[in-house]
Amino acid sequence: MAQATSEYGEWPLKRLMTEVVGSGHKSAEDMTREQAREAFQRILDGEPDETTLGAFWLANRWKRNTPEELAAFVDVMREESVEVAAPSADPVDCGANYDGKHTSAILGVAAGVVAAAAGTPVVVHSGDRVPTQKLDAYKHVLDELGATTDLSPGESADLVDDVGFGFYYQPAFNPGVDDLFERRDMMGVRTYVNTVETLANPADASVHLGSFYHLAFAKRMVKTLKKSRRNPAERALFFQGMEGYDDIRPGATVVAEWPSDDAEADENGILDYEIRTSEYGMDIQGEDLEVEDVAGDSATITEEVVAGDREDAFADAVELNAALRIYAREDVSGLDDGIAEARAAISDGSAAAVLEDLRSY
């Protein structure tokens, strides 16, 4: 058995594999909060053997992490890797999957710009070709638009306050996780790092907007935020996003909202309900939002929608996604009002002005 060290505790990853998480998806046990904390501290410090690290990540993927474990990972990440720079504004923190999209347009820049023009500050964050997909993400759309993305956390916070829409770049604000790039790439599959990095919340926002594939995972993410002692989010909306990204899926889309005092909310204060996007002007199919060049076409769509030069599926989708961001911060009481705010921001030129400020910053 590996020996305890004075620097950490009594649970090297090899021991956790042998005694806790490594016996298979049916018989593996969950880690305590303290064990999970120590594991991620060791990982961020580069202490584990590469083989042991890969096995540990895969074992956790098989057994599925609990909210308690995920919260411990989030807290260690924010304590030891994330450089928080909070703007004076309290923005909506948009945590899309960092490994990007391959088929449909990324609408979050346009939606965030429109929401900002309507008075709801928005923050997005991503890395650069993050494993496993290593596809286009927020950074690449902003690069195509000519916006500056290689920003320090302080510069990102200033951007939010000056423009209303801000971007935080993972290598700058979360270097410990960024340093895991090569090891994650060699895994070939997603790990819990793909989950917790979306909860980095570098702007210390009190509202988080995220996406999910299945409702059970959304509830796990909400419970993670509730159990975290370092992420200050007090409200969250998770919805079924296209390709796991924070672009709302056309059709019938499930939303998990927390906290809610609705009688239909569960014991954790999570209310789940369905949005039929056709009822909000987004009467389209998923293929209507597909593009050939994700970053380049998404940038062009952003320019044209915020300028009011499009009245098509992309414009409808941007308006609803902007409305969801406005509603998430409770700046409106419902999506209909949010859409009205979004349309007004486009029609009066406010959205185009925010985009221009973003590009010239």
Side-chain angles (χ1 to χ4, degrees):
M1 180 184 296
Q3 298 299 308
T5 68
S6 58
E7 186 177 357
Y8 304 108
E10 300 178 350
W11 291 96
L13 263 60
K14 187 176 180 181
R15 183 184 177 194
L16 284 171
M17 284 294 297
T18 303
E19 299 184 27
V20 185
V21 303
S23 61
H25 70 281
K26 291 186 177 179
S27 57
E29 297 180 6
D30 297 324
M31 291 178 284
T32 65
R33 190 183 196 98
E34 291 70 25
Q35 288 170 334
R37 281 186 57 87
E38 182 179 341
F40 208 40
Q41 286 171 335
R42 289 175 180 270
I43 291 168
L44 289 176
D45 287 349
E47 186 262 355
D49 174 84
E50 293 177 359
T51 302
T52 307
L53 174 59
F56 179 78
W57 275 342
L58 193 57
N60 277 271
R61 179 181 172 90
W62 283 339
K63 85 169 192 67
R64 298 182 181 177
N65 288 114
T66 66
E68 187 82 11
E69 291 169 334
L70 292 171
F73 298 150
V74 169
D75 288 351
V76 169
M77 177 181 66
R78 281 183 51 89
E79 290 165 7
E80 303 195 5
S81 179
V82 175
E83 181 181 342
V84 171
S88 297
D90 186 13
V92 176
D93 172 62
C94 294
N97 286 338
Y98 277 28
D99 62 351
K101 298 178 77 173
H102 54 75
T103 302
S104 58
I106 294 172
L107 305 175
V109 174
V113 164
V114 171
T120 298
V122 172
V123 158
V124 300
H125 39 98
S126 80
D128 188 2
R129 314 289 179 197
V130 170
T132 56
Q133 294 191 126
K134 299 198 290 187
L135 296 172
D136 292 329
Y138 273 122
K139 170 180 166 49
H140 309 106
V141 179
L142 290 164
D143 286 342
E144 290 286 340
L145 286 167
T148 302
T149 55
D150 190 6
L151 298 166
S152 70
E155 291 170 331
S156 295
D158 290 341
L159 178 61
V160 178
D161 283 332
D162 293 343
V163 175
F165 177 90
F167 173 75
Y168 286 69
Y169 186 35
Q170 186 183 52
F173 78 82
N174 198 356
V177 169
D178 185 64
D179 286 345
L180 298 173
F181 184 99
E182 183 178 354
R183 298 272 59 80
R184 295 170 66 186
D185 193 23
M186 294 303 293
M187 284 294 297
V189 294
R190 289 176 176 174
T191 71
Y192 66 75
V193 181
N194 291 81
T195 299
V196 300
E197 68 189 350
T198 66
L199 301 179
N201 195 359
D204 251 8
S206 63
V207 179
H208 178 78
L209 183 78
S211 65
F212 62 88
Y213 289 104
H214 305 291
L215 180 59
F217 183 77
K219 292 189 174 184
R220 190 181 309 166
M221 293 290 276
V222 169
K223 293 174 186 177
T224 297
L225 288 174
K226 288 184 66 176
K227 289 180 177 292
S228 172
R229 299 167 185 170
R230 295 291 182 264
N231 189 318
E234 300 172 347
R235 174 171 164 80
L237 254 68
F238 289 93
F239 61 91
Q240 286 177 304
M242 295 191 71
E243 301 183 60
Y245 221 71
D246 58 359
D247 300 317
I248 197 166
R249 181 186 302 177
T253 295
V254 175
V255 177
E257 180 175 343
W258 167 78
S260 173
D261 56 7
D262 190 285
E264 297 297 319
D266 67 13
E267 68 277 8
N268 292 290
I270 304 170
L271 177 67
D272 64 90
Y273 52 91
E274 189 176 82
I275 292 176
R276 294 191 175 276
T277 62
S278 60
E279 297 175 1
Y280 297 97
M282 187 176 162
D283 191 9
I284 57 175
Q285 303 299 316
E287 54 265 29
D288 294 323
L289 300 179
E290 292 179 1
V291 292
E292 293 184 6
D293 174 3
V294 171
D297 290 346
S298 297
T300 298
I301 290 164
T302 298
E303 291 176 313
E304 294 174 351
V305 169
V306 303
D309 293 337
R310 296 185 80 122
E311 296 182 359
D312 59 2
F314 291 107
D316 294 338
V318 167
E319 289 171 359
L320 181 53
N321 277 282
L324 200 64
R325 285 149 174 78
I326 298 168
Y327 172 72
R329 194 170 177 264
E330 299 182 287
D331 290 334
V332 291
S333 59
L335 291 179
D336 285 323
D337 290 339
I339 290 172
E341 294 286 335
R343 288 174 177 167
I346 293 171
S347 64
D348 69 10
S350 300
V354 169
L355 179 60
E356 181 58 34
D357 289 343
L358 176 64
R359 298 169 84 169
S360 62
Y361 193 81

